[in-house]
Amino acid sequence: DAEITQSPRHKITETGRQVTLACHQTWNHNNMFWYRQDLGHGLRLIHYSYGVQDTNKGEVSDGYSVSRSNTEDLPLTLESAASSQTSVYFCASSEFPTVSYEQYFGPGTRLTVT
Amino acid sequence: GIQVEQSPPDLILQEGANSTLRCNFSDSVNNLQWFHQNPWGQLINLFYIPSGTKQNGRLSATTVATERYSLLYISSSQTTDSGVYFCAVGAGGYQKVTFGTGTKLQVIP
């Protein structure tokens, strides 16, 4: 069955370190998204991609970057981790325009920055 | 951007009771989804419903796009329904969605 996976599921890192969170989907979807979830804020969009070599900033993109070299993967990099980036991170994908706007989410990565 | 408000923010139900969760949005949308986030954190797709009515077992949803709201109905609630319910909306030709802050549901035996 097609799915979307994230790794690692849990990560503890120190302030100032570079961290990369992986997202891999086997849906063959064009569109991929990264969100962060914090108490009181719901889910907020970090970056998104509509296809290979395409990346766009979301509402909370400062301190994060993404690259899209193939259809299946959209890794999220924290250039210099800060305590404010402690959060749960979700990756999602969708197959607009051929099917619908419906997004499917991965299981999440809990990141702690100490 | 689009504003999304969900109500109520918290809800406690006795097992077997029915409930209605509401999602109001500030502009026209062509994308609306309801999710359930279970106690383990997984986001589960419930409905993709930019307009109209859908039903799936004990759950149903209605979106009245012209009046800018959507309702999620849970009938005969079970303890496994506990968690947070999110509404997410999007507009235009873009895939971006905006999430509401959710309704936290607790179903007690």
Side-chain angles (χ1 to χ4, degrees), chain A residues 45-62:
Chain A
L45 184 63
I46 305 172
H47 281 286
Y48 58 102
S49 168
Y50 290 153
V52 176
Q53 303 301 328
D54 175 77
T55 61
N56 306 279
K57 293 181 178 182
E59 63 177 307
V60 290
S61 60
D62 287 348

Side-chain angles (χ1 to χ4, degrees), chain A residues 8 12 36 43 45 49 51 58 63 65-66 79 84 86 91 93-94 105:
Chain A
I12 300 174
R36 61 177 287 173
L43 278 83
L45 184 63
S49 168
S65 64
V66 293
E79 304 294 345
S84 60
T86 292
C91 179
S93 70
S94 70
F105 281 77

